[in-house]
Amino acid sequence: MHLMVEMIRSSILSATPVLLAGLGGAYTFHANVFNIAMEGMMLIGAFTAVAGSYFSGSWIMGVLSGIAGGLVAALIFAIFVVSLKTDEFVTGTALNMLALGGTTYSLRQLFHVKGAFMSHAIQSMPRWNIPLISRIPHLGPILSGHPFIVYASILLAFVVEWHIFGTRYGLRLRAVGEDARAVDSVGVSSDRIKAQAIIASGVLCGLAGAYLSLGYVTLFSENMSNGRGWIALAVIILTRGRPMGLLLMSLVFGLFDGLGLSLQGTIIPPQFTQMVPYIATIVALYFYSREKRSARGGKETPTT
Amino acid sequence: MQDQFIKMDSITKIYPPDTLALDKVDLEIQEGEIHSIIGENGAGKSTLMKVFYGMAPPSGGEIHFRGRKAKFATPREAVASGIGMVHQEFMLIPSYTVYENVILGAEPAGRFGTLRHADTKPKVEELVDTYGLNIDINSRIGDISVGAQQKVEILKLLYRDVDVLIMDEPTAALTPQEAGELFARLRGLNKVGKTIIFISHKLDEVLELSDRITVMRKGRRVVTVDNRGLDKAELARAMVGRDVVFSIEKAPASLGEIVFEARGLRYVDENGVIRLEGVSFDVRRGEIVGIAGVEGNGQYELVQLVTGLLSAQSGRVFIGGHDVTGEDVMARRKLMCYVPQDRKVSGSAQNMSLVDNAIMTHHRLNPEIEDRCEALLSSGRCRAFTSRLVEDFGVLVPELDAPISSLSGGNQQKVVVGREFMLDTDFILLDQPTRGLDVGSIEYVQEEVVRRRDAGAGCLLISADLDELFSLSDRILVMSRGRVVAELRPEATTREEIGEYMLGAKDAQEDWRAREEVGK
């Protein structure tokens, strides 16, 4: 039973960065920007969060600089993709490589360490113990005592759902994704909306990164985003950018991540246990595409 | 100040480096009139409207609107001043509802930008009622017809309260019935005080609808006249600059053996949608068989099945008596020539030279251009071949090595048509061969098609232009929802009858549905 509780608890913890990045990516998904730079934005955010927290001695500054890191990465992406009209895939790949190399390099230059940077000076995010709930056996440890961002991100899923599907901005955003020229023709700049979507994704990916380095653990290690940005991309495609779906699917991913972790120490080699969440993602994509194909059949009518 | 409603003063537009699209155009439009601007493709009608509408800055000249100098930097400013334009291509979001498309860009929103529909939805419904648009504002754009989509475009502008409506080639995508309905609607709008600027290259439409007509040619305004007792031929002369033959003269068909046969073609696309069902017909030597239909009713798939780019789930294709059902594109090309729908995408390689474009397909099939060593092409012979094409088909060309994109649309199409006709096969497949061409080039291509027919070739002509089908075809097949729903003789039918078949409103279609119900 204890193992079970521990697994679910850790699945919530590992679902959070995927959810946050996914919510950010939902914006770019609906704006039809192929945003593969989430991984890099997240990694940069994780690094700047640690640096901010270390130098200022405040976790709030840490989170803010994490967001700022993601924002800067997003601005670079937006300038190239929206203003200079470069290829999204190439730009995103370049940004990811820049993030990996740049953070590794800065780690050595700034903190003179290789691999990982740990310090007592890094202030981590406070954990919230929810009164009453924390006393409930089994459920208490699952729901209570997480870094506050965990709760914030769940709330954020509802906010993003409302923002994308219930507001003026959301209507325009989704319209841009479908036909940018049509949006331009009614006097709304589709480029501006695309840039805003990219910036929103950068902010949320930066936050996800800050969570990784200040909430999940309190350190920065090379390539610490470790494919979560890609998982977020897969989850976005899987849920077609619906925030409620993202909430659910990132929990599923977290569960498999947790499963992988708890399988460590068994006879299964750790390399295999680490694969579990990624294999689960691939399997999910397979079922999704099959589902989609059968759902589409016969539904579409011939149009011009 | 009525005559000062819209006044354009020597508008010039130069596209860099040196294309003079508009050359000192003066135009006055009066309040409450229907004013048509007519001209061939490239005459500058659309450019003039783009300049007026804030989509392209003028290189010179002034525009006055309601007596004041107007310089719209964006369409949004134009709309805010009460001028709206319906573009040739619709600017609609397919997955949104009619209502959502109407409000997009001018959404009613409350706190934090939350959408509020309480006031606007009734307002939009009211507009639909007032102007008799007869559409359900809750249906999705993707589910409604092209004609209805156009109504949505008009509704968008009415919602924004415009006084001037610019319609850019609005009938291009409509059936004759829908076009008739559009004209009635435009007259209705005109009656309640809207000024309408109607851009077209179709003489009949313009004569039917307008109060005044401005003719443009080569970036210049030729003349503006009141539409009273105007003669079509006169107008055409002003437009083209010479006399135009409206109906192609052709002798009665002398039928030979069958050169093409489709038997029971059925095609289901990857989404499981039935695109073609039970399509059977034949084409004989010496005749032109036209295929009419609203776009997207299986014509595209039919062409792909004939050329071999797609393969049918069932049914067979015969060309020149050979069963080519399982054959690849090259095997078929030995037996047929093909003028594709889109000369820019599949008809030519835009960045390659005229010579390269002219020898396409010939480079595989025509020994005439091979080098002595058969594996190579002789560049001299290729050039000679191209020169012959240029001469025979009257292509106006600066030099043979220029990229084909430097030629005008009409000349490009002449290259494509010439190249294909020089293959000299008995079966000719023509997919929208005159789309986007000006009157002069259309005339040329059509005459060429008739010449080939008279020389004994069998032609299959797919066209969205009913006039073309009527003047060229010996038989017209109508396709609707992937089926051939009617076979008609042009001399024994009307545009309206074909239109009814196209829309699936006519009985043959109902019979088919009834049969299918029974079949289930």
Side-chain angles (χ1 to χ4, degrees), chain A residues 162 166-172 174-175 178-179 181-183 185-188 293 296-298 300-304, chain B residues 76 89 91-96 100 103-105 107 109 112-115 142 146 156 160 271-273 275 295-296:
Chain A
W162 162 79
T167 67
R168 175 197 308 217
Y169 179 77
L171 190 75
R172 292 176 178 181
R174 286 177 292 132
E178 244 182 277
D179 189 347
R181 285 177 322 139
V183 178
S185 80
V186 294
V188 176
R293 200 164 293 174
R296 264 198 316 190
E300 272 176 33
T301 47
T303 47
T304 53
Chain B
R76 190 176 195 143
E89 291 166 69
M91 301 285 186
L92 299 170
I93 309 295
S95 76
Y96 280 17
E100 284 171 327
I103 62 165
L104 183 67
E107 306 87 346
F112 304 121
T114 310
L115 292 172
V146 175
K156 266 164 81 174
R160 286 162 173 78
N271 295 327
V273 181
R275 295 290 182 181
E295 245 174 86

Side-chain angles (χ1 to χ4, degrees), chain A residues 17 38-54 62-63 65-70 99 103 107 111 117 122 125 202 204-215 217-226 228:
Chain A
M38 286 189 288
E39 175 81 9
M41 292 174 182
M42 210 195 273
L43 186 59
I44 291 174
F47 180 83
T48 53
V50 158
S53 174
Y54 175 79
V63 171
S65 34
I67 291 174
T103 53
L107 191 64
F111 302 114
F117 175 60
I122 306 174
M125 292 180 194
L204 290 174
C205 287
L207 193 60
Y211 169 84
L212 277 181
S213 60
L214 297 180
V217 289
T218 311
L219 58 89
F220 179 83
S221 65
E222 282 173 23
N223 191 23
M224 89 177 294
S225 52
N226 197 18
R228 284 185 181 82

Side-chain angles (χ1 to χ4, degrees), chain A:
Chain A
M1 198 62 213
H2 180 70
L3 193 73
M4 201 55 187
V5 168
E6 200 43 53
M7 211 175 98
I8 295 175
R9 190 183 157 77
S10 77
S11 76
I12 291 176
L13 282 173
S14 53
T16 303
V18 172
L19 175 61
L20 278 171
L23 290 175
Y27 282 96
T28 45
F29 177 83
H30 286 292
N32 196 23
V33 175
F34 190 50
N35 185 358
I36 60 164
M38 286 189 288
E39 175 81 9
M41 292 174 182
M42 210 195 273
L43 186 59
I44 291 174
F47 180 83
T48 53
V50 158
S53 174
Y54 175 79
F55 289 118
S56 71
S58 137
W59 67 268
I60 297 177
M61 285 312 291
V63 171
L64 288 179
S65 34
I67 291 174
L71 185 70
V72 170
L75 280 173
I76 296 171
F77 190 66
I79 287 168
F80 275 89
V81 166
V82 179
S83 308
L84 304 176
K85 314 258 179 244
T86 58
D87 186 84
E88 289 157 10
F89 191 86
V90 173
T91 314
T93 308
L95 197 64
N96 285 336
M97 286 155 74
L98 177 74
L100 184 56
T103 53
T104 304
Y105 175 77
S106 307
L107 191 64
R108 290 175 197 179
Q109 292 301 309
L110 219 54
F111 302 114
H112 312 290
V113 289
K114 275 184 184 178
F117 175 60
M118 270 174 280
S119 164
H120 291 296
I122 306 174
Q123 295 297 311
S124 66
M125 292 180 194
R127 290 167 189 254
W128 280 3
N129 276 312
I130 306 172
L132 292 176
I133 290 179
S134 61
R135 303 238 185 107
I136 304 170
H138 304 313
L139 208 58
I142 292 176
L143 294 178
S144 180
H146 296 295
F148 83 100
I149 286 193
V150 172
Y151 308 105
S153 66
I154 293 168
L155 194 68
L156 201 62
F158 290 92
V159 173
V160 172
E161 171 89 19
W162 162 79
H163 195 216
I164 292 181
F165 293 97
T167 67
R168 175 197 308 217
Y169 179 77
L171 190 75
R172 292 176 178 181
L173 175 77
R174 286 177 292 132
V176 165
E178 244 182 277
D179 189 347
R181 285 177 322 139
V183 178
D184 285 323
S185 80
V186 294
V188 176
S189 162
S190 63
D191 279 352
R192 178 180 293 183
I193 288 184
K194 276 188 179 176
Q196 286 166 344
I198 291 170
I199 286 166
S201 81
V203 166
L204 290 174
C205 287
L207 193 60
Y211 169 84
L212 277 181
S213 60
L214 297 180
Y216 204 48
V217 289
T218 311
L219 58 89
F220 179 83
S221 65
E222 282 173 23
N223 191 23
M224 89 177 294
S225 52
N226 197 18
R228 284 185 181 82
W230 298 104
I231 295 287
L233 185 64
V235 171
I236 290 164
I237 294 169
L238 216 55
T239 58
R240 281 186 226 154
R242 301 293 304 226
M244 291 300 105
L246 281 167
L247 187 56
L248 183 76
M249 283 310 295
S250 51
L251 279 172
V252 171
F253 164 78
L255 203 65
F256 279 104
D257 203 20
L259 183 72
L261 282 177
S262 50
L263 285 175
Q264 273 176 21
T266 57
I267 46 163
I268 307 169
Q271 286 82 357
F272 281 94
T273 62
Q274 280 170 11
M275 281 186 217
V276 170
Y278 306 100
I279 291 170
T281 307
I282 291 172
V283 171
L285 278 174
Y286 170 72
F287 280 110
Y288 167 74
S289 84
R290 256 194 15 180
E291 187 82 355
K292 198 168 76 173
R293 200 164 293 174
S294 65
R296 264 198 316 190
K299 217 176 124 192
E300 272 176 33
T301 47
T303 47
T304 53

